[in-house]
């Protein structure tokens, strides 16, 4: 007997409840896709906000150390806070959040925090102002109170011609003793740090009165330059490999085919046409970046202004990413610093070498050498 013939095929009964299950599965799949897209787009949006904010910080002259501080602050925020604070229209919210973060954190020097606030939040008009009196300070300005060898963060709440009302939040009680000699550190990105000498007068629930005695001391991030011309050697970095092997074919084995002859004739025709139309620039050979010696026009602890010698084409700055500049002082140290080269905006014959790998030790050593030789405030433009 055929076994297959005995099999009874029973088809499942289709119930309307299955339609409901299918509908639920479809809704669940739709919601899942929507949620995943939302989370992905939100994450991408936050990352883009950070990238844009990082560009903003770089444009405001923040260095790598300050960018690292900002990234640590960014990492401690939750996703919603990241999305809110990094938007350009929320700079005041960001300023308040950053201030609260610095009050709780001991990871950075207080002066560095003050510098960062000035670079990020000071208006363009105030960016270049020097501090000559309390008139140049602004209400809301972040500063550091320095006394007993310590610096603690505060901000200006009110001011008169010779007194400031400072916030007490975050200040230690032993710094708030009336009569205590103290200094207030403030910063301007174009000219550096300033110490305003004074005294703690009195305190109350509103804040602390700081009396300014009129003495201002320069401190910190000021940059000096030498206008005396100094011999500098500039070379492409990394140096070109002089041991490159050139591969050549055995000329005795070259095949002179009809196809090769046709190609050569086409090339010759194009060259003849360009020459006839006076299009000689097509045959100019770009100058290869090579070492040269020239004189500095201005030399600072951040970069060098110079002009190219006549035998070197200024166009080589476009063909090389990094250069190494070497120079020395009479009875002083030698420096070998890598830099990026770029034209200046004011004069077409002036070019700038902006240091990229001068660490703090090198920069301070160079600053001292310039200071000892009568350096003046830096202007590299």
């Amino acid at each position: 007997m055929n076994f297959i013939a005995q099999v009874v095929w029973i088809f499942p009964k289709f119930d309307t409840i299955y339609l409901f299950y299918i509908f639920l599965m479809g809704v669940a799949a739709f919601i899942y896709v929507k949620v995943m897209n939302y989370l992905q787009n939100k994450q991408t949006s936050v990352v883009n906000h950070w990238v844009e904010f990082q560009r903003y910080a770089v444009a405001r002259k923040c260095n790598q150390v300050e960018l690292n501080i900002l990234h640590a602050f960014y990492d401690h925020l939750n996703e919603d806070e990241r999305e809110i604070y990094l938007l350009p229209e929320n700079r005041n919210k960001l300023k308040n959040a950053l201030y609260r973060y610095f009050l709780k954190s001991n990871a950075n020097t207080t002066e560095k925090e003050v510098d960062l606030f000035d670079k990020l939040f000071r208006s363009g008009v105030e960016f270049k102002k020097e501090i000559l009196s309390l008139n140049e300070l602004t209400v809301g300005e972040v500063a550091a109170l320095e006394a007993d060898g310590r610096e603690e963060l505060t901000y200006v709440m009110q001011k008169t011609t010779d007194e400031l009302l400072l916030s007490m939040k975050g200040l230690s009680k032993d710094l708030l003793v009336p009569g205590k000699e103290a200094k207030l550190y403030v910063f301007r990105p174009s000219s550096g740090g300033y110490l305003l000498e004074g005294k703690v007068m009195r305190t109350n629930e509103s804040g602390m009165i700081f009396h300014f005695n009129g003495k201002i001391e320069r401190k910190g991030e000021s940059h000096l330059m030498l206008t005396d011309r100094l011999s500098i050697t500039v070379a492409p970095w990394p140096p070109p490999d002089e041991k490159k092997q050139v591969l050549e074919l055995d000329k005795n084995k070259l095949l002179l085919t009809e196809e090769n002859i046709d190609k050569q004739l086409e090339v010759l025709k194009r060259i003849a046409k360009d020459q006839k139309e006076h299009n000689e620039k097509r045959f100019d050979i770009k100058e290869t970046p090579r070492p040269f010696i020239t004189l500095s026009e201005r030399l600072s602890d951040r970069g060098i202004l110079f002009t190219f010698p006549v035998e070197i084409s200024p166009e080589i700055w476009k063909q090389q990413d990094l250069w190494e500049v070497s120079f020395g002082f009479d009875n002083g140290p030698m420096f070998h610093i890598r830099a990026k080269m770029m034209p200046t905006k004011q004069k077409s014959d002036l070019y700038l070498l902006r240091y990229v790998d001068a660490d703090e030790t090198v920069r301070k050593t160079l600053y001292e050498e310039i200071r000892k030789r009568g350096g003046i405030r830096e202007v590299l433009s």
Side-chain angles (χ1 to χ4, degrees):
M1 181 180 290
N2 190 344
F3 176 76
I4 296 179
Q6 294 180 344
V7 175
V8 179
W9 296 99
I10 301 175
F11 290 93
K13 182 181 178 182
F14 187 81
D15 201 315
T16 54
I17 191 65
Y18 294 133
L19 289 175
F20 180 68
Y21 292 152
I22 294 172
F23 172 75
L24 287 180
M25 292 173 63
V27 170
F30 176 79
I31 293 174
Y32 174 79
V33 171
K34 284 292 185 180
V35 169
M36 294 305 294
N37 286 339
Y38 170 77
L39 293 176
Q40 185 175 2
N41 291 336
K42 186 175 182 180
Q43 182 63 29
T44 302
S45 176
V46 172
V47 171
N48 288 339
H49 291 330
W50 166 250
V51 172
E52 290 301 319
F53 179 71
Q54 193 173 26
R55 289 174 183 166
Y56 167 80
V58 170
R60 301 285 289 189
K61 310 298 183 185
C62 291
N63 57 36
Q64 188 57 55
V65 173
E66 290 161 337
L67 290 176
N68 292 342
I69 293 173
L70 289 174
H71 205 282
F73 163 72
Y74 167 82
D75 285 342
H76 109 284
L77 299 173
N78 61 46
E79 289 189 10
D80 291 335
E81 289 173 332
R82 291 176 183 177
E83 190 168 9
I84 292 170
Y85 294 146
L86 298 186
L87 291 173
E89 60 267 28
N90 291 333
R91 293 285 184 249
N92 282 335
K93 292 181 180 179
L94 173 66
K95 182 178 180 180
N96 294 334
L98 190 59
Y99 188 83
R100 293 193 299 269
Y101 170 74
F102 284 156
L103 286 181
K104 296 177 181 178
S105 172
N106 296 318
N108 315 297
T109 65
T110 305
E111 289 184 1
K112 182 60 69 179
E113 294 169 353
V114 173
D115 298 353
L116 188 53
F117 270 98
D118 265 86
K119 290 183 179 182
L120 287 178
F121 305 113
R122 186 156 298 282
S123 71
V125 175
E126 298 168 340
F127 211 72
K128 295 182 179 180
K129 282 186 178 180
E130 296 185 26
I131 304 297
L132 303 175
S133 68
L134 295 191
N135 290 334
E136 284 74 44
L137 270 62
T138 58
V139 173
E141 173 159 354
V142 175
L145 187 68
E146 301 192 0
D148 300 336
R150 307 200 315 272
E151 307 91 27
E152 296 187 1
L153 208 61
T154 183
Y155 68 90
V156 178
M157 300 172 68
Q158 293 179 11
K159 67 171 187 174
T160 65
T161 55
D162 59 357
E163 288 188 336
L164 298 172
L165 177 63
L166 302 176
S167 169
M168 293 196 306
K169 188 174 182 180
L171 293 179
S172 301
K173 290 183 178 180
D174 58 331
L175 293 185
L176 303 176
V177 178
K180 180 182 285 292
E181 300 287 339
K183 295 180 180 180
L184 191 71
Y185 175 81
V186 293
F187 180 79
R188 291 295 179 273
S190 62
S191 53
Y194 299 82
L195 284 174
L196 282 64
E197 293 186 11
K199 184 183 295 185
V200 176
M201 299 302 293
R202 58 189 181 275
T203 63
N204 58 31
E205 294 178 356
S206 300
M208 180 202 80
I209 299 294
F210 174 82
H211 181 81
F212 173 51
N213 65 16
K215 294 181 181 179
I216 299 177
E217 175 188 344
R218 292 263 186 170
K219 182 179 181 180
E221 289 274 327
S222 58
H223 299 280
L224 299 178
M225 70 177 183
L226 279 180
T227 54
D228 296 342
R229 306 185 83 186
L230 193 71
S231 177
I232 62 173
T233 300
V234 185
W237 192 91
D241 186 3
E242 298 178 353
K243 299 181 180 180
K244 288 182 179 178
Q245 296 182 350
V246 180
L247 297 177
E248 292 187 354
L249 296 175
D250 187 344
K251 295 181 181 179
N252 295 323
K253 296 182 180 179
L254 291 177
L255 298 177
L256 193 62
T257 64
E258 184 177 345
E259 181 182 2
N260 287 339
I261 293 174
D262 289 341
K263 288 182 179 179
Q264 295 295 328
L265 286 174
E266 284 299 319
V267 172
L268 291 172
K269 286 179 182 178
R270 286 200 299 272
I271 292 175
K273 181 181 178 182
D274 286 327
Q275 288 177 333
K276 186 176 181 180
E277 295 174 355
H278 305 289
N279 192 11
E280 299 293 340
K281 289 186 177 180
R282 286 194 57 184
F283 307 104
D284 290 346
I285 300 176
K286 292 182 178 179
E287 186 170 352
T288 303
R290 57 192 174 95
F292 61 89
I293 298 174
T294 187
L295 295 175
S296 66
E297 297 291 332
R298 302 175 201 164
L299 186 147
S300 90
D301 56 316
R302 293 195 297 179
I304 301 174
L305 283 181
F306 72 98
T307 56
F308 281 101
V310 293
E311 69 273 13
I312 299 292
S313 169
E315 294 299 308
I316 63 175
W317 78 270
K318 299 177 182 178
Q319 303 170 36
Q320 180 71 27
D321 186 40
L322 288 177
W323 299 77
E324 184 174 64
V325 57
S326 303
F327 57 92
F329 297 95
D330 293 336
N331 302 317
M334 283 289 299
F335 294 89
H336 304 279
I337 307 173
R338 285 185 283 274
K340 289 188 76 71
M341 187 184 295
M342 61 197 74
T344 61
K345 295 180 181 179
Q346 284 189 343
K347 289 184 66 177
S348 59
D349 60 338
L350 275 180
Y351 286 77
L352 171 65
L353 283 162
R354 175 75 72 179
Y355 309 143
V356 297
D357 72 341
D359 60 24
E360 193 64 17
T361 301
V362 170
R363 195 192 71 78
K364 286 183 177 179
T365 303
L366 183 51
Y367 177 93
E368 284 302 313
E369 294 296 327
I370 294 171
R371 185 187 60 80
K372 287 190 293 188
R373 290 163 174 80
I376 61 176
R377 187 174 305 150
E378 174 200 80
V379 180
L380 290 179
S381 59

